[in-house]
Amino acid sequence: MKNIDLKNLTVKKAHDAMIKGEFSASDLAEAYLEQIKKVDPEIHAYLEVYGDVKEQAKKADEKIKAGKATLLTGIPIAVKDNILIKGRIASSASKILEGYKATYDATAISKLKEEGVVFLGRVNMDEFAMGGSTENSAYGVTKNPHDTLRVSGGSSGGSAAAVAMNGALVSLGSDTGGSVRQPASLCGIVGLKPTYGSISRHGLMAMGSSLDQIGPLGKTVTDVEILFNAIKGKDSKDSTSISDKTYLPKKISGKPVIGVPREFLKGPGINPEVLKNFNEALEKFEKLGFKVVDVKLPNISYSLPVYYIVMPAEVSSNMSRFDGVKYGLLKEGKDLMGDYLKSRAEGFGSEVRRRIILGTYVLSAGYYDAYYNRAIALRRLITEDFIKAFNDVDVILTPTAPSPAFKIGEKITDPLQLYLEDIFTVTANLTGMPAISLPSGFTSDSPALPLGIQMTARHGEEELLFNIGKTFLNEL
Amino acid sequence: MITDKDINKLADLARLGLSDVEKQKLQKDVGSILAYVDQIKSAPVEIDTKGRVGSVKNVMREDEVLNETGSNTEALLSEAPKREGQYLKVKKILGSSDSFEI
């Protein structure tokens, strides 16, 4: 077996090495399978490692030999368990879909198949992407590769841990309120929540349809950019998908201006080390020649409560498709109603049930105006605040998460405590704007825990996020 | 505050057959989450029910079948917990009771 330095490997390095014949896609796949075998029994990022990885790699090698390789040909990738790959199991880490085999490819997956990537396996998540720690997975928690007593974050915890433990070069996650960015931050890697609509949601299991986006994760901004560019684009199968022409990027003269909502960072519950690291990041940006200014977002403090009304409302609607009739688990009652009640009660975990009940409540007659309609109006107001703020600045910077990776079991008993994890990330889902989490250093704990910063830009301005991100992480 | 009656009604609407212990826990959890999200009630915003949400607009396409007829039938039906030939099988609906009990 070839000795490949997986820790320092990037998509471009792997591509160049495969083109030059330094190692083959088969060698690379084998190296990742070995690493998974070595570290995953402890981390538990993977729910399944596919049995045909070597065959996939062989096909990639043929493509490379034929001179038809693209940047992603032969690149080993992990896929979140809620993204469909035809003929393979996709369970959303839920008992209700245990053993469910996808009947079609998600659009993002068909695009990756055209590139000739190697799918290593499906990775763990909170059930139906509801949670921030993978503790809501029906198949056990994914541990943080930096400290196995702690969570990997969530809901795309498996996607982040797989990359951080060098068990995949890049991965796909999904982000409804921070589910790509927060685990990326907690695991010390890069994660992108793209502009709403930029990656087709066709074949991504729906949680909150007006908030959900597939997002790429990787060790470098460049890797995330390559993956994003390969899977984005208008899709006739997702009417909310957008093209490159939907939003026209603003011409920026000189260095981009960074805005910081300082008022918002004064709230309680933000870990002092997170704040210290954030201020150090600001200093670094200033040293790199960026102008850093204060920015006012008058209604941003309503983001989290608005999110926890809109999201469960959409969850309660989307989860109604699981009825024990069309697919998934059936637990029989005495009549059809009994089948529904039993299948759904036994198939869904407690967090999913909680959000369904909450969503049903905020949508029910008598409460609809006070909760849902009011939240929708506020969502629009918050979006307008951001659009206004972007008249004066080009990106807005906050920490990604209010704390570093927490201990397994520490927050799971109090749902509200766990919801507060999303305080900085939900805004990008409410506004539909792109946001990226960048690794920004470590805590003074032993073992040291990764920290991350989050940068948000105008709709359609992923390229700006990539450029500033590469400058920050010395990738240029 | 959420009452026992509310939780029973919501569980019925959401088709979740919950035990009493689970209902009690949900009552407490949902109550504390609602107490938190209640802060939007003091937000300075007008509810405009006639207004549209964001930039949502209708996206139309021709009403036409894009797949070859029957090309996915077997794959889809084979995921059903119960089937009879080309049909999904469910329990009798007409004449069954309206009760929500399991």
Side-chain angles (χ1 to χ4, degrees):
Chain A
M1 202 181 84
K2 293 241 169 116
N3 196 8
I4 305 172
D5 177 12
L6 298 183
K7 191 166 184 275
N8 294 304
L9 197 64
T10 64
V11 170
K12 272 190 181 151
K13 276 189 207 166
H15 172 74
D16 289 347
M18 287 189 281
I19 295 294
K20 284 187 205 148
E22 287 165 23
F23 55 76
S24 65
S26 299
D27 295 332
L28 187 60
E30 205 176 320
Y32 275 103
L33 289 176
E34 269 309 304
Q35 173 72 0
I36 293 167
K37 215 195 237 170
K38 207 168 93 191
V39 296
D40 203 47
E42 169 81 358
I43 303 296
H44 188 48
Y46 281 87
L47 291 176
E48 180 187 359
V49 177
Y50 298 136
D52 66 340
V53 170
K54 285 178 186 167
E55 286 78 47
Q56 291 182 58
K58 220 169 147 191
K59 272 194 193 150
D61 278 328
E62 283 161 18
K63 198 169 175 173
I64 294 166
K65 265 192 206 126
K68 288 179 184 157
T70 66
L71 265 178
L72 285 171
T73 307
I75 297 298
I77 170 168
V79 178
K80 190 173 179 177
D81 195 29
N82 62 351
I83 301 172
L84 306 189
I85 308 180
K86 190 173 180 176
R88 299 188 194 268
I89 292 172
S91 79
S92 247
S94 177
K95 288 284 175 208
I96 212 162
L97 280 179
E98 189 163 20
Y100 169 76
K101 276 205 184 110
T103 52
Y104 61 94
D105 281 328
T107 300
I109 295 295
S110 2
K111 287 183 184 239
L112 290 178
K113 280 186 173 174
E114 272 168 42
E115 304 268 336
V117 306
V118 173
F119 297 107
L120 291 169
R122 58 189 175 95
V123 280
N124 200 16
M125 55 186 282
D126 287 290
E127 184 180 4
F128 285 107
M130 300 180 204
S133 65
T134 71
E135 286 165 294
N136 294 326
S137 166
Y139 304 99
V141 68
T142 296
K143 294 172 189 165
N144 194 309
H146 292 268
D147 178 354
T148 52
L149 294 176
R150 293 174 187 269
V151 301
S152 54
S155 64
S156 312
S159 310
V163 172
M165 71 183 198
N166 302 311
L169 187 44
V170 285
S171 64
L172 286 185
S174 69
D175 190 313
T176 305
S179 280
V180 162
R181 291 159 286 155
Q182 185 257 18
S185 171
L186 268 49
C187 290
I189 61 166
V190 180
L192 171 76
K193 197 290 286 183
T195 306
Y196 183 74
S198 57
I199 298 172
S200 168
R201 287 181 294 114
H202 177 68
L204 167 68
M205 289 189 205
M207 173 187 161
S209 306
S210 78
L211 305 155
D212 296 341
Q213 267 296 285
I214 290 175
L217 299 95
K219 282 180 299 205
T220 66
V221 174
T222 311
D223 284 358
V224 165
E225 180 182 27
I226 292 168
L227 192 51
F228 171 70
N229 284 333
I231 58 178
K232 70 176 182 182
K234 178 95 188 137
D235 178 16
S236 60
K237 289 173 178 144
D238 174 2
S239 65
T240 62
S241 63
I242 60 169
S243 76
D244 279 345
K245 293 181 191 83
T246 308
Y247 300 107
L248 294 173
K250 193 179 150 185
K251 284 233 164 58
I252 300 168
S253 51
K255 269 241 148 114
V257 178
I258 295 171
V260 179
R262 293 212 187 257
E263 275 304 311
F264 191 46
L265 301 178
K266 284 181 185 155
I270 300 174
N271 181 296
E273 284 215 66
V274 168
L275 218 49
K276 183 170 161 273
N277 173 267
F278 178 71
N279 286 324
E280 284 164 8
L282 290 180
E283 277 168 31
K284 185 172 174 186
F285 275 116
E286 280 175 332
K287 268 190 206 139
L288 290 165
F290 289 91
K291 199 174 158 197
V292 177
V293 300
D294 275 21
V295 68
K296 292 226 162 11
L297 298 162
N299 298 291
I300 194 171
S301 63
Y302 294 114
S303 301
L304 199 62
V306 164
Y307 175 76
Y308 275 96
I309 292 168
V310 173
M311 176 273 294
E314 296 185 13
V315 161
S316 71
S317 313
N318 276 324
M319 292 298 121
S320 65
R321 76 194 59 193
F322 299 100
D323 56 3
V325 174
K326 300 184 287 290
Y327 36 66
L329 180 81
L330 168 66
K331 288 280 171 188
E332 297 203 44
K334 67 167 182 171
D335 53 13
L336 186 62
M337 179 60 87
D339 286 359
Y340 293 154
L341 294 170
K342 235 176 156 175
S343 303
R344 290 166 62 78
E346 291 186 30
F348 289 135
S350 61
E351 178 62 22
V352 177
R353 293 199 295 251
R354 190 149 49 225
R355 294 193 192 192
I356 290 173
I357 292 289
L358 190 60
T360 308
Y361 181 82
V362 299
L363 289 176
S364 59
Y367 299 103
Y368 190 88
D369 265 339
Y371 288 106
Y372 187 72
N373 272 340
R374 202 169 180 81
I376 290 297
L378 264 168
R379 180 181 186 177
R380 202 179 318 159
L381 203 61
I382 291 162
T383 308
E384 282 163 10
D385 284 352
F386 269 81
I387 290 170
K388 238 180 267 167
F390 279 127
N391 286 329
D392 303 319
V393 301
D394 299 303
V395 291
I396 291 174
L397 204 71
T398 64
T400 307
S403 65
F406 44 90
K407 291 219 164 97
I408 294 166
E410 188 183 329
K411 295 190 181 186
I412 197 70
T413 47
D414 182 358
L416 198 55
Q417 221 12 64
L418 206 51
Y419 292 179
L420 293 172
E421 266 295 296
D422 304 337
I423 183 122
F424 296 124
T425 45
V426 293
T427 46
N429 303 82
L430 291 175
T431 63
M433 290 168 181
I436 195 167
S437 179
L438 305 170
S440 57
F442 290 86
T443 64
S444 56
D445 294 88
S446 178
L449 304 171
L451 294 165
I453 53 167
Q454 173 187 244
M455 203 160 44
T456 309
R458 298 176 192 91
H459 293 114
E461 300 226 338
E462 279 83 357
E463 208 178 316
L464 179 64
L465 294 180
F466 296 143
N467 288 338
I468 301 177
K470 285 181 215 169
T471 309
F472 182 73
L473 293 177
N474 305 317
E475 283 182 40
L476 290 173
Chain B
M1 213 30 236
I2 295 247
T3 64
D4 301 8
K5 222 178 120 192
D6 291 334
I7 289 288
N8 283 328
K9 176 87 192 303
L10 293 169
D12 285 346
L13 286 171
R15 305 290 191 256
L16 287 171
L18 302 172
S19 72
D20 288 344
V21 179
E22 283 169 307
K23 281 181 189 166
Q24 270 172 22
K25 188 165 183 316
L26 271 170
Q27 195 177 339
K28 187 180 142 262
D29 289 346
V30 172
S32 79
I33 296 163
L34 285 175
Y36 174 75
V37 301
D38 263 351
Q39 60 182 290
I40 72 156
K41 289 182 177 165
S42 60
V45 67
E46 291 289 319
I47 296 173
D48 173 12
T49 47
K50 288 189 206 86
R52 63 208 165 81
V53 179
S55 54
V56 173
K57 57 179 191 307
N58 282 328
V59 178
M60 308 300 228
R61 66 165 177 83
E62 286 306 311
D63 185 16
E64 58 190 354
V65 181
L66 298 172
N67 304 313
E68 201 184 310
T69 305
S71 57
N72 296 308
T73 310
E74 190 48 42
L76 289 168
L77 278 171
S78 67
E79 286 302 325
K82 279 168 97 180
R83 65 183 277 195
E84 202 171 291
Q86 299 288 80
Y87 296 95
L88 297 174
K89 197 174 173 186
V90 294
K91 292 198 171 68
K92 199 171 103 177
I93 298 166
L94 293 176
S96 75
S97 80
D98 287 324
S99 126
F100 286 145
E101 282 159 24
I102 299 171

